[in-house]
Amino acid sequence: MKIFKKIPTEKPNTPLLDKVHNPQDFRSFSNNELTVLANELREFLLYSVGQTGGHLAGGLGVIELTIILHYLLNTPYDNLVWDVGHQAYPHKILTGRKNQINTIRKKDGLAPFPSINESEYDAFGVGHSSTSLSAVLGMAIASKDSHPDKKHVAVIGDGAMTAGMAFEALSHIGHLKPNLLIILNDNDMSISENVGGLSNYFSRIWASKTYKGIKKSGASFLKPLPQAYHLARKVETQMKAMVAPGTIFEELGLNYIGPIDGHNLKELKDVISNLKDFEGPQFLHIITKKGAGLDPAEADRIGFHAIGKISSIKNKKPTEKKYQDIFGEWMLDMADEDENLIGITPAMREGSGLVEFSKKFPDRYFDVAIAEQHSITFAAGLSVEKKKPVVAIYSTFLQRGYDQLIHDVAVQNLDVTFALDRSGLVGEDGPTHSGNYDIAYLRCVPNMVICTPSDENETRKLLTTAYLHNGPASVRYPRGAGPNSKVNKKLSPIKIGTANLIKEQDDSKIIVLNFGTLLKEAYEISKDIKATLVDMRFVKPLDEKLLKKLLKKADIFISIEDGSIMGGAGSAVQEFAAEENLHVKSILFGIPDKFIEHASREEMLIDAGLDIKSIKSKLSKVL
């Protein structure tokens, strides 16, 4: 493997890679040519991600695996599913998208993750983790009779294997025993400690056709003698357990092989070429380095998981605070005040702003891995014993724990605070990561309090309010930086359900209601049409007293929110007006009933009709 000291800023010379337009172009390559291809692909990936920004370390870790899988499989006929898809950039480059890779994550460019609408080589659309095993099982069962020669391969990381959904799928796979191959890309798990010459040697034996043939004939010979058969099976399992950590997968009914070096092209080629033709479910455990081939990325796998453009990194303002920083500072301050505060995150420590909290309060910090469902019921259990859990979770990932939120928290009216980062349109990661629906799916749940702060200071105040409320409450805030409002460091709550009347226009029959961080847009609109402006702060409960007073004398209200129109905050006001028999018209601005594709957050807001120009244009036609 060629090692790079830094990300190249000049387009590299890649003569062999330039000849590859699809996997068929390199399936006749020699081992030496495959090695050269891997080096060129790694260098090109470094250069291209340096120019565009995006996920880097994961892709660097699977360069060799990506090449070998496309070399051995008959893709796109065979199904190759990448779990999450952070590591799929090399896959995109080798499957006809090399010349478009500079458009990745940009408006109308390549999607940030595999997408079935983008390429026939993308067998399944991904974005959230731990879905690959269920998907390939469905594919294998569906094509078993119609296309028995079709191969089905899932590549899943050690992080994604921590999710319950992955183990649910493994259990079902072990029960049905279809022909498929699971590759565990392990770059951090403790079970990787057994890598070495002996385990590699046995892995090659277990993955050999000779061993498989002996095992099959031996099974046929011994099955009439049940005791002897089970003794032989037990000896094999115990021998594997001595040199490899795969007993759990064997017990689930999969044939475990590994661990092997995931950067050794020849070893990968030898093992996978046999496993893909074996009967039944195969489980190959490979060891890789996240960020492999780039010295700084190997040293800082978290920092290089995803990067911005090189120029953006250089020009980044170090003092610019993001909403996650506001949350992180609030957590430290509130934890100093209340020893019962417990911080929980499902594998989002850095993204949620909990790094300093985890260092200062290690005994009160829990990263539960990619286990959103568990994180919520774990919080519920803490609450029963009078602790004050705060679940720091992205809006899009709270969707995965919705039943637990209702069944385990809301039904029992337990004191759990949800800090919903990345709410609303998130930008380049696209629709799988946008937090469009939390207002709608939380608003219908009894006992929930829903807060929608408009800036950094309001975020801190509403976090305090939600935390001190004795019951389930959520505070939603977007990705990135806010308007740089001055933050009052006091931990002062607001009365639940109290809106902020920013500007009352006595002679106006129009009310503008803002929910969340589009207050700047709401202010500009209210000024333009000379309307009363209210920052509502709460979706549930609404400030019914103020609404009743304002809507009684209004002809129309306009609601603005960075969330789904259907079932959203504006809908809540419509329902209230109907209940109170207030005859007032309404215009709702929010995210329409469609998925907004990846682009910058500003471009996504335009696509949703939530920029000032679009709002003014619509209002000029309907007012």
Side-chain angles (χ1 to χ4, degrees):
M1 182 198 307
K2 187 176 179 180
I3 305 297
F4 298 86
K5 299 295 183 184
K6 60 181 182 179
I7 296 174
T9 55
E10 299 292 329
K11 187 175 181 180
N13 184 30
T14 55
L16 204 58
L17 179 61
D18 292 343
K19 296 177 182 178
V20 175
H21 304 291
N22 61 65
Q24 189 63 40
D25 293 333
F26 63 88
R27 286 181 182 145
S28 60
F29 279 14
S30 66
N31 286 344
N32 286 338
E33 287 175 315
L34 291 177
T35 300
V36 173
L37 179 63
N39 288 334
E40 290 186 5
L41 179 56
R42 180 167 275 109
E43 187 171 11
F44 181 77
L45 178 67
L46 286 168
Y47 165 75
S48 61
V49 177
Q51 297 299 304
T52 64
H55 294 101
L56 178 64
L60 291 173
V62 296
I63 294 285
E64 291 78 12
L65 177 65
T66 305
I67 289 172
I68 291 303
L69 286 174
H70 281 296
Y71 179 86
L72 294 173
L73 296 172
N74 182 24
T75 52
Y77 175 74
D78 291 337
N79 286 318
L80 173 58
V81 178
W82 299 93
D83 205 284
V84 185
H86 290 151
Q87 74 280 50
Y89 290 21
H91 159 80
K92 294 197 178 211
I93 292 168
L94 293 176
T95 54
R97 289 167 275 182
K98 174 176 173 284
N99 295 331
Q100 300 165 272
I101 202 71
N102 64 323
T103 70
I104 200 162
R105 303 171 82 237
K106 296 179 182 176
K107 183 174 173 58
D108 300 324
L110 293 182
F113 309 105
S115 168
I116 58 174
N117 297 318
E118 182 177 286
S119 171
E120 61 181 342
Y121 287 93
D122 293 356
F124 196 75
V126 293
H128 291 188
S129 84
S130 317
T131 61
S132 61
L133 305 189
S134 300
V136 293
L137 175 59
M139 294 168 178
I141 295 300
S143 61
K144 182 174 65 173
D145 298 325
S146 57
H147 299 91
D149 62 327
K150 197 168 191 175
K151 311 299 181 189
H152 308 277
V153 180
V155 181
I156 184 169
D158 53 278
M161 279 297 296
T162 63
M165 184 176 177
F167 280 90
E168 290 173 18
L170 282 175
S171 178
H172 199 198
I173 289 168
H175 173 70
L176 296 177
K177 299 194 183 310
N179 295 336
L180 56 78
L181 170 61
I182 298 166
I183 298 176
L184 172 61
N185 175 29
D186 175 3
N187 52 40
D188 207 26
M189 289 178 75
S190 60
I191 58 173
S192 67
E193 291 174 0
N194 287 314
V195 175
L198 185 62
S199 63
N200 285 349
Y201 171 70
F202 277 115
S203 294
R204 286 194 293 273
I205 291 176
W206 293 326
S208 70
K209 290 180 178 177
T210 303
Y211 173 80
K212 210 66 182 173
I214 293 170
K215 182 178 175 181
K216 189 174 181 180
S217 60
S220 301
F221 176 74
L222 290 174
K223 272 197 172 175
L225 306 167
Q227 287 182 321
Y229 172 75
H230 289 300
L231 178 62
R233 183 76 178 99
K234 189 173 183 180
V235 169
E236 179 198 33
T237 300
Q238 290 182 345
M239 186 178 73
K240 284 187 175 184
M242 288 170 62
V243 296
T247 306
I248 184 173
F249 304 111
E250 291 275 343
E251 292 298 326
L252 285 169
L254 292 85
N255 180 45
Y256 173 88
I257 305 295
I260 68 170
D261 182 357
H263 299 298
N264 187 321
L265 279 164
K266 186 179 184 305
E267 190 159 26
L268 284 171
K269 182 180 171 185
D270 291 345
V271 172
I272 294 174
S273 63
N274 287 335
L275 287 182
K276 70 184 180 68
D277 294 322
F278 282 178
E279 293 289 317
Q282 310 299 316
F283 191 100
L284 173 62
H285 180 179
I286 70 170
I287 305 299
T288 63
K289 289 182 180 178
K290 197 171 182 180
L294 178 65
D295 273 350
E298 288 190 27
D300 182 11
R301 293 170 299 169
I302 294 173
F304 280 83
H305 169 72
I307 64 170
K309 298 178 188 179
I310 292 177
S311 59
S312 300
I313 295 171
K314 290 177 181 175
N315 298 328
K316 185 179 179 182
K317 298 176 184 176
T319 57
E320 186 180 70
K321 282 190 177 179
K322 299 178 179 178
Y323 278 99
Q324 67 197 52
D325 302 322
I326 301 300
F327 169 72
E329 290 173 1
W330 174 83
M331 283 286 285
L332 290 169
D333 295 341
M334 185 56 80
D336 280 331
E337 291 285 318
D338 186 355
E339 63 181 14
N340 287 317
L341 186 150
I342 304 289
I344 303 169
T345 179
M348 290 292 160
R349 183 181 72 155
E350 288 74 21
S352 293
L354 288 173
V355 173
E356 293 305 315
F357 180 87
S358 69
K359 293 175 181 176
K360 187 174 179 180
F361 302 101
D363 295 336
R364 294 158 64 184
Y365 165 77
F366 296 91
D367 183 340
V368 301
I370 303 175
E372 293 87 357
Q373 294 169 302
H374 164 63
S375 72
I376 295 168
T377 304
F378 173 52
L382 288 166
S383 178
V384 167
E385 290 296 325
K386 308 308 178 189
K387 295 298 182 182
K388 296 273 290 181
V390 178
V391 180
I393 189 169
Y394 292 4
S395 168
T396 186
F397 297 139
L398 182 58
Q399 294 164 184
R400 310 187 84 178
Y402 190 51
D403 177 62
Q404 287 68 32
L405 183 143
I406 295 173
H407 184 274
D408 300 331
V409 176
V411 168
Q412 303 182 95
N413 200 24
L414 294 177
D415 190 2
V416 179
T417 302
F418 296 92
L420 302 188
D421 201 339
R422 272 61 165 182
S423 289
L425 296 165
V426 298
E428 292 83 355
D429 281 344
T432 60
H433 282 59
S434 287
N436 300 353
Y437 310 109
D438 55 84
I439 291 176
Y441 69 66
L442 291 177
R443 193 168 72 79
C444 61
V445 179
N447 294 329
M448 280 298 303
V449 169
I450 304 172
C451 309
T452 56
S454 55
D455 60 26
E456 298 94 333
N457 190 47
E458 288 284 313
T459 298
R460 184 176 171 93
K461 285 196 286 188
L462 287 171
L463 281 167
T464 302
T465 303
Y467 180 78
L468 295 178
H469 169 68
N470 186 23
S474 68
V475 183
R476 75 186 313 258
Y477 45 92
R479 178 185 184 183
N484 200 27
S485 298
K486 185 178 179 180
V487 176
N488 186 333
K489 300 294 283 185
K490 289 182 180 179
L491 294 170
S492 304
I494 301 167
K495 184 181 178 183
I496 296 281
T498 305
N500 180 19
L501 179 57
I502 293 177
K503 179 182 64 174
E504 186 167 13
Q505 197 82 22
D506 291 334
D507 56 346
S508 177
K509 296 290 186 179
I510 304 173
I511 314 294
V512 176
L513 305 175
N514 173 71
F515 293 90
T517 55
L518 296 178
L519 181 59
K520 177 185 174 183
E521 287 79 357
Y523 182 82
E524 288 294 323
I525 296 303
S526 67
K527 188 170 69 172
D528 189 59
I529 60 176
K530 296 180 174 57
T532 292
L533 174 62
V534 184
D535 181 19
M536 290 299 295
R537 288 177 169 161
F538 296 88
V539 176
K540 187 177 183 181
L542 293 166
D543 189 335
E544 296 185 353
K545 183 178 179 182
L546 179 62
L547 278 178
K548 196 169 184 178
K549 171 191 166 187
L550 294 176
L551 295 181
K552 268 185 176 180
K553 58 184 181 180
D555 291 333
I556 191 167
F557 79 81
I558 298 164
S559 68
I560 300 176
E561 60 190 294
D562 186 7
S564 170
I565 292 174
M566 298 182 72
S571 298
V573 180
Q574 286 179 327
E575 291 168 15
F576 171 74
E579 278 181 18
E580 296 294 323
N581 202 27
L582 299 170
H583 301 287
V584 59
K585 294 179 181 178
S586 58
I587 305 173
L588 312 186
F589 288 95
I591 299 168
D593 187 25
K594 68 175 184 177
F595 294 111
I596 309 295
E597 292 299 327
H598 60 278
S600 69
R601 174 170 160 80
E602 292 71 26
E603 288 169 328
M604 293 181 89
L605 286 170
I606 292 170
D607 285 348
L610 284 172
D611 61 301
I612 291 175
K613 184 179 177 181
S614 298
I615 294 172
K616 284 184 176 180
S617 175
K618 181 174 179 179
L619 290 178
S620 69
K621 296 172 184 175
V622 298
L623 286 180

